[in-house]
């Protein structure tokens, strides 16, 4: 069964740079998500997806999406 872990870090850009420098494979690149988090993702050896994020902006939902 798929498992994803979503971890907040103080500086997602610095963590991304450090992990890249160590040769860690990044499965999803750094990007700004519509909900305001800057994220990237790695896959651990057991196949779990680990997201790292820093909140950097207010949410801007895609057209047609309502926040509840």
């Amino acid at each position: 069964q798929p498992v994803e872990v979503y971890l907040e870090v103080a500086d997602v850009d610095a963590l991304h740079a450090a992990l890249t420098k160590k040769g860690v494979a990044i499965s999803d690149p750094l990007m700004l998500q519509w909900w305001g988090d800057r994220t990237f993702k790695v896959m651990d050896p057991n196949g779990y997806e680990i997201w790292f994020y820093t909140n950097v902006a207010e949410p801007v939902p895609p057209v047609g999406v309502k926040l509840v």
Side-chain angles (χ1 to χ4, degrees):
Q1 190 163 353
V3 172
E4 294 186 32
V5 179
Y6 203 68
L7 300 172
E8 183 175 18
V9 297
D11 186 343
V12 74
D13 291 285
L15 179 61
H16 182 272
L19 293 179
T20 300
K21 185 176 181 178
K22 290 183 180 194
V24 174
I26 306 298
S27 56
D28 271 355
L30 271 171
M31 62 176 49
L32 179 61
Q33 304 292 344
W34 69 262
W35 54 89
D37 292 347
R38 185 156 167 79
T39 67
F40 73 93
K41 184 169 57 173
V42 300
M43 189 81 71
D44 89 346
N46 296 308
Y48 298 119
E49 293 181 326
I50 303 174
W51 292 75
F52 297 98
Y53 79 96
T54 301
N55 185 263
V56 297
E58 290 297 316
V60 179
V63 174
V65 172
K66 284 185 175 181
L67 294 179
V68 291

